[in-house]
């Protein structure tokens, strides 16, 4: 190992270097599942994580993980496959979905044997609960498919995988921030340049294979449910390395988040009799959904709120939220049936829902799009003759990837399944790749220089706008122009606004140029990542002229399978879009052709 | 003792968590209240930051008493700071 003594500008002569068979970027469930597979196969694995690994966003997945174990009600993987395809509004790739649903049961049992304390039935089998979108017999009665470790499933999986990795001697770079991939002229990915947050010193991690597992990009939006670490770092690294982003227009929103804060207020509140009112005190859902009213589906409620806000009927000085009323309910009912919601509201909105309504607005929740991969976790791009040629040495798994099992809309309980199934699959494929690619390739100096220059850019002194103000403007712009209310003129204006913010970012400066724990610089680098993804998202949304799953266009209200049953691919260079077909053909069973999605 | 601004930045990064609720509570508290804490409570805050995310979430949102009783008053102060 070389001695670290280079400055942040990157005195490359002295750049510290480390070498691994595989570099995993991100230490959530997807990254750790892949790392475990590799370390157990005696590959050398380095995991880079910008926060301590068990503080990854996987801990926030409290709901559970789907697998057709049939412990509570009859079930099989084929029904799970149908539900996932239907939930995806037929944009999901049916080969990947078949693979995931078939693998689910073994995956959950494997987690159980690794030490995840799943909740149990009296007969000792794993307990399973019913979630929305789950059916028996291809759209029949409700199924019960979600396995949970009480309400801490994500936490239990993450901690178990972390401990197993420590046992398997995976090497962790805790509190290191990955800047950019290193890519050579032949297109091989050779690792990444990272920076140690504590010292500000850059590090070159050379790797025969690199797996991106950095999670989603919920921080693109002002109102979102995601941890603040979810800035889409890996996706943006891929974009800068010339890899397109797939289906970025598909972002799952939840209708009721605490206004200005984003925390999720679950449907349970409306299920107990809570209802929404606008700034005029009107119970507006009666106009949009005369029968279901406040219990209409998530997208209908989200869009209705957005229209109320857009037409000036919001509440508060900025008319930027509506109110969720439960104060007509008996105080004891609220205390008994909605204690968690009451706590959230009192803590973050300063409102006790027994006495006053909760200020809410739609909140961004899950990134369906991401780095295009196949079911082995290989990153695939259109090249030469093929639409999906693997990028040698590069893999992605989890929310940052688009494999695509969620298509236009993700079902509850499928995100934890996605990360462990495809983390494991990527690990297995990497093991095979390493057998054929036994040596490190010569490092690509230009690519390393590029990464270091991006770091050095933030050392410039002088006057310039602050990163914080640009970030806030970007997120508010995304909420307003690329949120749940989408139509041609709004999105066009959104593209212009986002590009104007991108221009402002070029001239931003930091005030803090210290080396030790310079969090301001990390936040600037995160904002650059969000910036690239914001452009990708709004451009993709403008071009898709249909409504499908989470992408809801007022001006094109119907799904259009004739023209739009295809995946978007956004390229940073030239801000261009290409399209590729959906994999309609599963691995072994008959295809599920598109049908109207009615629940 | 480390340079105070350096220590502050170190703590800021430790307040980056896996859940938005914890980000909001911990980062908000560091910004608004940390400086006026006694040395003892500053130490307790650092200890709290070493707690796992899920346990912290339960202390804050479900009123589960913290494992270490000495942490209770700082946990309570963090909870009430968000809407101050």
């Amino acid at each position: 190992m070389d001695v670290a003594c280079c400055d942040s500008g990157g005195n490359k002569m002295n750049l510290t270097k480390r070498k691994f068979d595989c570099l995993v970027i991100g230490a959530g469930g997807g990254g750790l599942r892949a790392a475990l597979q590799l370390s157990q196969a005696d590959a050398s694995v380095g995991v880079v994580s910008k926060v301590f690994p068990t503080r990854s966003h996987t801990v926030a997945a409290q709901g559970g993980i789907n697998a057709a174990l049939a412990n509570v009600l009859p079930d099989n993987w084929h029904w799970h496959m149908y539900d996932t395809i239907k939930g995806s509004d037929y944009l999901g790739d049916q080969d990947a979905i078949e693979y995931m649903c078939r693998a689910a049961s073994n995956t959950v049992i494997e987690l159980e044997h690794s030490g995840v304390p799943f909740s149990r039935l009296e007969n000792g089998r794993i307990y399973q609960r019913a979630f929305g979108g789950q059916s028996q017999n291809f759209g029949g009665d409700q199924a019960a498919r979600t396995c949970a470790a009480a309400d801490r499933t994500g936490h239990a999986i993450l901690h178990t995988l972390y401990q197993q990795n420590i046992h398997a001697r995976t090497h962790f770079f805790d509190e290191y921030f990955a800047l950019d991939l290193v890519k050579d002229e032949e297109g091989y990915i050779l690792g990444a340049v990272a920076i140690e947050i504590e010292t500000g010193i850059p590090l070159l991690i050379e790797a025969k294979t690199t797996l991106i597992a950095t999670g989603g990009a919920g921080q693109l939006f002002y109102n979102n449910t995601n941890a603040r670490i979810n800035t889409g770092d890996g996706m943006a690294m891929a974009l800068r390395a010339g890899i397109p982003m797939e289906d970025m227009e598909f972002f799952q929103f939840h209708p009721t988040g605490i206004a200005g804060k984003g925390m999720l207020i679950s449907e349970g509140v409306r299920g107990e009799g809570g209802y929404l009112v606008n700034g005029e005190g009107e119970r507006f859902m009666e106009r949009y959904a005369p029968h279901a009213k406040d219990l209409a589906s998530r997208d209908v409620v989200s869009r209705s709120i957005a229209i109320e806000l857009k037409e000036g009927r919001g509440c508060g000085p900025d008319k930027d939220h509506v109110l969720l009323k439960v104060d007509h309910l008996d105080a004891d009912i609220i205390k008994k049936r909605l204690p968690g919601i009451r706590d959230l509201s009192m803590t973050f909105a300063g409102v006790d829902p027994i006495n006053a309504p909760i200020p809410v607005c739609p909140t961004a929740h899950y990134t369906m799009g991401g780095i295009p991969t196949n079911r082995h976790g290989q990153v695939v791009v259109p090249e030469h003759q093929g639409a999906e040629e693997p990028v040698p040495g590069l893999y992605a798994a989890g929310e940052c990837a688009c494999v695509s099992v969620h298509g236009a809309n993700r079902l509850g309980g499928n995100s934890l399944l996605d990360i462990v199934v495809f983390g494991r699959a990527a690990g297995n494929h990497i093991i095979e790749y390493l057998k054929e690619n036994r040596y490190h390739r010569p490092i690509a100096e230009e690519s390393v220089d590029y990464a270091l220059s991006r770091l050095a850019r933030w050392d410039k002194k002088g006057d310039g706008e602050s990163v914080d103000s640009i970030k806030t403007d970007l997120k508010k712009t995304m909420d307003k122009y690329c949120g749940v209310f989408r139509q041609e003129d709004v999105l066009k204006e959104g593209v212009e606004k986002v590009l104007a913010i991108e221009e402002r970012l070029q001239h931003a400066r930091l005030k803090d140029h210290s080396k030790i724990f310079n969090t301001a610089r990390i936040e600037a680098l995160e904002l650059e990542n969000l910036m690239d993804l914001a452009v990708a998202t709004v451009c993709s949304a403008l071009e898709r002229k249909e409504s499908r799953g989470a992408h809801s266009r007022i001006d094109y209200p119907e799904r259009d399978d004739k023209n739009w049953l295809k995946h978007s691919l956004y390229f940073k260079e030239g801000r261009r879009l290409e399209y590729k077909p959906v994999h309609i053909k599963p691995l072994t069973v008959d295809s599920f052709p598109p049908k109207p999605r009615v629940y | 003792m480390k340079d105070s601004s350096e220590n502050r930045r170190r703590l800021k990064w430790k307040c980056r968590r896996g859940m938005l609720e914890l980000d909001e509570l911990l980062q908000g508290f560091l910004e608004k209240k940390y400086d006026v804490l006694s040395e003892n409570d500053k130490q307790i805050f650092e200890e709290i930051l070493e707690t796992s995310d899920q346990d912290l979430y339960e202390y804050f949102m479900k009123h589960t008493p913290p494992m270490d009783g000495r942490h209770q008053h700082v946990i309570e102060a963090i909870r009430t700071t968000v809407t101050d």
Side-chain angles (χ1 to χ4, degrees), chain A residues 151-152, chain B residues 54-64:
Chain A
D151 59 355
R152 43 166 67 203
Chain B
Q54 186 68 36
D55 287 343
L56 276 181
Y57 186 81
E58 287 175 15
Y59 299 161
F60 288 127
M61 302 312 304
K62 296 184 178 168
H63 303 274
T64 311

Side-chain angles (χ1 to χ4, degrees), chain A residues 304-472:
Chain A
S304 306
I305 295 172
I307 293 170
E308 291 301 298
L309 300 183
K310 191 172 161 53
E311 294 181 354
R313 291 188 294 277
C315 306
D318 297 329
K319 297 188 182 297
D320 58 358
H321 61 268
V322 295
L323 296 173
L324 177 56
K325 273 176 75 67
V326 283
D327 50 0
H328 57 290
L329 298 178
D330 191 71
D332 286 337
I333 290 184
I334 295 174
K335 284 182 193 165
K336 196 172 149 198
R337 298 201 193 142
L338 303 167
I341 299 301
R342 182 171 175 237
D343 266 342
L344 272 175
S345 177
M346 290 198 295
T347 306
F348 296 106
V351 166
D352 183 347
I354 288 175
N355 305 318
I358 311 168
V360 294
C361 63
T363 183
H365 188 51
Y366 187 87
T367 319
M368 266 81 71
I371 305 164
T373 67
N374 60 21
R375 68 191 155 83
H376 308 295
Q378 291 177 288
V379 174
V380 289
V381 296
E383 202 159 7
H384 311 301
Q385 306 306 317
E388 299 187 323
E389 294 292 315
V391 176
L394 187 61
Y395 293 77
E399 193 172 340
C400 68
C402 185
V403 51
S404 145
V405 286
H406 309 304
N409 183 50
R410 178 187 62 89
L411 288 188
N414 269 356
S415 52
L416 283 177
L417 181 62
D418 171 12
I419 65 177
V420 283
V421 166
F422 292 105
R424 183 179 185 279
N428 280 335
H429 199 277
I430 290 169
I431 291 166
E432 293 306 310
Y433 180 93
L434 289 170
K435 287 179 189 163
E436 307 290 320
N437 296 270
R438 296 175 58 196
Y439 304 104
H440 288 272
R441 295 169 65 85
I443 207 69
E445 302 289 341
E446 270 183 29
S447 187
V448 176
D449 290 341
Y450 169 74
L452 293 173
S453 71
R454 285 193 52 245
L455 192 58
R457 170 254 179 277
W458 291 105
D459 287 337
K460 282 186 197 161
K461 293 181 177 149
D463 290 336
E465 205 177 340
S466 80
V467 164
D468 277 352
S469 65
I470 296 175
K471 181 159 59 183
T472 303

Side-chain angles (χ1 to χ4, degrees), chain B residues 41-53:
Chain B
D41 284 355
K42 281 181 178 170
Q43 180 58 38
I44 287 176
F45 182 65
E46 291 216 24
E47 288 172 23
I48 288 171
L49 292 180
E50 296 305 315
T51 310
S52 85
D53 281 0

Side-chain angles (χ1 to χ4, degrees), chain A residues 548-566:
Chain A
R548 182 186 298 272
H551 175 68
S552 178
R553 291 276 304 241
I554 306 289
D555 42 356
Y556 299 96
E558 301 299 324
R559 195 177 80 198
D560 176 1
D561 291 328
K562 187 162 170 272
N563 296 302
W564 287 101
L565 187 60
K566 56 188 180 184

